[in-house]
């Protein structure tokens, strides 16, 4: 969301990082640039698009810690693993890490397959084609259902989520989506202004509703008549609230809710937006979609049954498509760090050389994810959708949608498992095409690509409108 239009020398807008990709680095002749702001106070942010420098920053946590002050907006429900550093972060990670195990990844796969079958059998049924004005209409609920059941033991079906439960004014899905895509409104405006417009009132209602839903989830698990053994993320967080306060793994109820929100946010929005971009790209590149389909068809026919988690490694092309989408449209476009001491960094230059520059203590240093992902030093034809680049050797340090180092995404395997299962299941049964609309009849491929992949920047890159048709194979 842009709060101001792009104004040269005054406001670059919030989407400039993904808009400009590697362009500013190419103009500078090196893989580091600086953004200098003068208001409200003079500041300099160094952006990096050099794989070696980025690896150095992400693996040198003492020299380049996470600037926690920038993450305060994510603590609206309480402290959490994303908005923490040092010993506090280690405590949260120790609590959450066991949930991202092979046992739970298998649960993710199994539940995702069931959710997709429910979509095919009970929603789409025997329709030969399904027309969607925006692909997010299916990827948002799919992602929510998966994180709900595999992360929090909350099973929701395609039909049950249409009903607002007693005591609520909106569904769980709507509350989470409205708040996450308009978080800046909740954070930036004081409480006395929350009734200023219909949209602001709805965002504040979503905040209250989501908080109520999360409390209900906590109370339902705590007060269950039958105490079942769970292995999900929720159980680890909930168990930590039962520890003695002096324990190194104890958390308060507010920290519990804060971490529930951050994992719901990451597991819902990030996945939904990436899947939406994935289906958009497959529709825009039918030859690549056909290659993926033939690969899936070959693997599935050799299995002669529904794929299991143990078969996941066979679907190499599905993973390649997912990775290529993450390269082109990384959910998080900038990963901030801060220099804790006077130091230096070295980056590559356009002529193949190196340049070293000073980084004073207190300087913000940001990983420019699109700058790295579109850097021609690492990726041939970086603007082209070419999933096969991930089928052979590829530059792993130049691919950072999950960040790198100790602070890399804890739920990466969860995310990949879910994504591979969804893409595989859907492409095996449906051909994806861009919805034809008369007003766009004469557009070129470049114009269509720009339209279908248009986005706005909030916490993540959000697809604006992806009209697609799913045709039964």
């Amino acid at each position: 969301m842009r709060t101001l239009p792009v104004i040269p020398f005054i406001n670059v807008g919030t989407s400039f990082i993904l808009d400009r990709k590697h362009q500013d680095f190419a103009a500078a002749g090196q893989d580091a640039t600086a953004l200098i702001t003068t208001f409200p106070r003079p500041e300099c942010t160094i952006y990096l698009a050099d794989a070696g420098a980025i690896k150095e920053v992400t693996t040198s946590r003492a020299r380049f810690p996470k600037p926690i002050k920038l993450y305060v907006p994510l603590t609206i429900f309480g402290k959490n693993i994303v908005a923490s550093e040092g010993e506090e972060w280690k405590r949260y990670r120790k609590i959450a890490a066991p949930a991202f195990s092979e046992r739970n990844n298998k649960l993710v796969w199994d539940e995702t397959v069931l959710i997709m079958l429910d979509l095919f059998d009970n929603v789409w049924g025997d329709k030969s084609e399904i027309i969607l004005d925006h692909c997010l209409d299916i990827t948002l609920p799919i992602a929510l259902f998966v994180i709900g059941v595999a992360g929090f033991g909350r099973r929701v079906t395609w039909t049950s989520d249409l009903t607002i439960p007693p005591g609520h004014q909106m569904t769980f899905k709507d509350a989470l989506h409205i708040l996450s895509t308009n978080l800046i409104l909740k954070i930036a405006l004081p409480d006395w202004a929350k009734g200023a417009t219909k949209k602001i009132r709805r965002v504040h209602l979503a905040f209250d509703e989501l908080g109520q839903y999360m409390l209900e989830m906590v109370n339902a698990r705590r007060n269950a008549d039958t105490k079942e053994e769970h292995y999900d993320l929720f159980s680890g967080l909930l168990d930590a609230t039962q520890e003695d306060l002096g324990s190194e793994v104890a958390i308060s109820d507010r920290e519990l809710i804060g971490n529930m929100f951050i994992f719901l946010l990451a597991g819902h929005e990030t996945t939904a937006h990436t899947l939406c971009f994935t289906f958009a790209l497959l529709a825009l590149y039918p030859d690549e979609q056909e290659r993926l389909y033939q690969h899936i068809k070959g693997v599935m026919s050799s299995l002669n049954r529904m794929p299991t988690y143990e078969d996941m490694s066979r679907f190499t092309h599905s993973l390649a498509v997912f990775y290529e989408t993450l390269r082109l449209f990384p959910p998080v476009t900038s990963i901030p760090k801060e220099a804790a001491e006077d130091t230096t960094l070295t980056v590559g230059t356009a002529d193949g050389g190196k340049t070293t520059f000073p980084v004073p203590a207190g300087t913000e240093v940001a990983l420019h994810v699109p700058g790295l992902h579109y850097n021609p030093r690492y990726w041939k034809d970086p603007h082209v959708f070419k999933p096969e680049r991930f089928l052979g050797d590829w530059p792993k340090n130049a691919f950072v949608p999950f960040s790198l180092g100790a602070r890399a995404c804890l739920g990466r395997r969860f995310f990949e498992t879910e994504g591979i299962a969804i893409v595989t299941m859907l492409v095996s049964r449906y051909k994806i095409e861009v919805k034809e609309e008369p007003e766009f009849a004469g557009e070129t491929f470049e114009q269509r690509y720009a339209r279908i992949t248009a986005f706005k920047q909030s916490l993540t890159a959000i697809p604006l409108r992806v009209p697609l048709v799913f045709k039964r194979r």
Side-chain angles (χ1 to χ4, degrees):
M1 180 188 302
R2 288 190 176 113
T3 53
L4 285 173
V6 176
I7 306 171
F9 306 110
I10 296 176
N11 183 54
V12 295
T14 56
S15 301
F16 81 98
I17 294 177
L18 187 49
D19 281 338
R20 298 184 67 79
K21 304 175 177 64
H22 191 260
Q23 184 177 336
D24 292 334
F25 300 98
Q30 61 183 31
D31 286 329
T33 61
L35 177 65
I36 299 172
T37 56
T38 58
F39 182 83
R41 57 188 172 276
E43 287 185 341
C44 175
T45 301
I46 296 174
Y47 285 98
L48 301 175
D50 180 274
I54 285 175
K55 183 177 181 180
E56 180 180 353
V57 167
T58 54
T59 55
S60 305
R61 289 179 56 215
R63 286 169 59 208
F64 297 100
K66 192 173 192 174
I68 296 305
K69 64 182 183 291
L70 299 180
Y71 289 84
V72 171
L74 295 180
T75 63
I76 56 171
F77 284 105
K79 292 182 177 179
N80 56 71
I81 191 170
V82 171
S84 60
E85 184 59 291
E87 294 304 313
E88 186 176 52
W89 169 75
K90 289 180 181 178
R91 178 164 59 93
Y92 293 144
R93 193 182 193 285
K94 188 172 183 179
I95 294 165
F100 296 99
S101 62
E102 284 300 292
R103 183 203 298 262
N104 199 51
N105 290 334
K106 183 180 185 304
L107 174 66
V108 172
W109 180 279
D110 293 343
E111 293 294 343
T112 302
V113 169
L114 291 176
I115 288 163
M116 295 305 292
L117 288 174
D118 186 27
L119 170 66
F120 299 152
D121 297 341
N122 300 318
V123 181
W124 289 358
D126 57 1
K127 296 176 183 176
S128 59
E129 70 176 35
I130 295 87
I131 302 172
L132 298 177
D133 190 62
H134 194 353
C135 188
L136 277 182
D137 292 342
I138 60 161
T139 62
L140 280 170
I142 290 172
L144 179 62
F145 298 164
V146 175
I147 187 64
V149 67
F152 295 91
R154 185 182 187 277
R155 189 179 299 279
V156 183
T157 65
W158 287 89
T159 51
S160 66
D161 191 58
L162 299 175
T163 306
I164 299 175
H168 285 276
Q169 297 180 59
M170 62 176 60
T171 65
F172 182 71
K173 172 173 68 70
D174 288 344
L176 179 57
H177 180 60
I178 291 168
L179 180 62
S180 59
T181 53
N182 297 281
L183 199 57
I184 191 170
L185 289 179
K186 176 67 179 78
I187 297 158
L189 296 177
D191 284 344
W192 59 261
K194 65 182 182 182
T197 68
K198 182 178 179 180
K199 181 175 182 178
I200 294 172
R201 289 194 296 272
R202 191 160 172 78
V203 171
H204 279 266
L205 176 62
F207 173 78
D208 294 338
E209 285 282 302
L210 184 59
Q212 184 181 339
Y213 274 116
M214 290 191 290
L215 283 173
E216 289 170 356
M217 290 163 65
V218 171
N219 293 332
R221 183 71 69 90
R222 280 180 174 166
N223 301 326
D225 294 331
T226 304
K227 299 294 183 182
E228 298 180 18
E229 190 171 9
H230 296 273
Y231 302 97
D232 55 23
L233 172 64
F234 190 25
S235 296
L237 295 172
L238 201 58
D239 289 347
T241 66
Q242 311 299 322
E243 297 283 343
D244 294 333
L245 288 179
S247 168
E248 64 176 6
V249 291
I251 61 173
S252 66
D253 278 4
R254 182 162 172 78
E255 289 175 299
L256 167 64
I257 298 296
N259 279 287
M260 287 175 66
F261 170 66
I262 215 70
F263 281 112
L264 281 169
L265 184 68
H268 178 229
E269 295 293 315
T270 303
T271 304
H273 298 159
T274 299
L275 285 168
C276 189
F277 281 123
T278 301
F279 297 140
L281 289 166
L282 288 172
L284 287 164
Y285 290 86
D287 290 347
E288 292 294 348
Q289 183 181 168
E290 181 62 21
R291 290 188 188 96
L292 172 61
Y293 171 65
Q294 291 300 331
H295 170 78
I296 293 171
K297 184 179 176 182
V299 174
M300 296 281 274
S301 63
S302 69
L303 295 176
N304 199 29
R305 54 175 167 74
M306 291 300 297
T308 65
Y309 177 62
E310 290 71 25
D311 301 318
M312 178 175 146
S313 60
R314 297 174 183 240
F315 296 103
T316 53
H317 210 108
S318 297
L319 180 61
V321 166
F322 206 51
Y323 274 5
E324 180 69 343
T325 303
L326 287 167
R327 185 187 68 81
L328 292 169
F329 296 97
V332 178
T333 57
S334 177
I335 303 172
K337 303 290 182 180
E338 188 173 55
E341 60 189 46
D342 291 342
T343 186
T344 62
L345 285 170
T346 300
V347 299
T349 59
D351 60 7
K354 297 281 186 182
T355 184
T356 300
F357 54 90
V359 182
T363 303
E364 185 178 323
V365 178
L367 282 56
H368 195 298
V369 181
L372 180 66
H373 286 186
Y374 284 82
N375 191 332
R377 289 206 293 129
Y378 309 112
W379 307 100
K380 184 179 179 182
D381 301 324
H383 291 266
V384 180
F385 179 64
K386 295 172 63 175
E388 62 267 23
R389 70 174 88 240
F390 286 99
L391 295 175
D393 292 331
W394 51 276
K396 294 179 173 55
N397 288 334
F399 182 67
V400 295
F402 308 101
S403 190
L404 291 173
R407 292 302 301 252
C409 177
L410 188 61
R412 175 174 182 167
R413 184 69 170 174
F414 186 116
F415 185 66
E416 292 175 351
T417 301
E418 175 185 4
I420 293 171
I422 293 168
V423 170
T424 300
M425 291 284 290
L426 200 146
V427 174
S428 70
R429 298 189 179 209
Y430 293 87
K431 183 177 181 181
I432 311 165
E433 297 178 359
V434 174
K435 178 185 175 184
E436 296 296 339
E437 298 170 285
E439 60 267 42
F440 303 114
E443 67 185 347
T444 64
F445 174 80
E446 290 73 21
Q447 290 170 331
R448 174 171 285 206
Y449 182 95
R451 173 171 65 88
I452 298 298
T453 63
F455 67 94
K456 69 175 181 179
Q457 190 70 44
S458 184
L459 292 177
T460 62
I462 305 173
L464 283 180
R465 178 176 177 262
V466 182
L468 299 178
V469 179
F470 294 83
K471 296 184 177 181
R472 183 187 290 275
R473 294 187 185 274

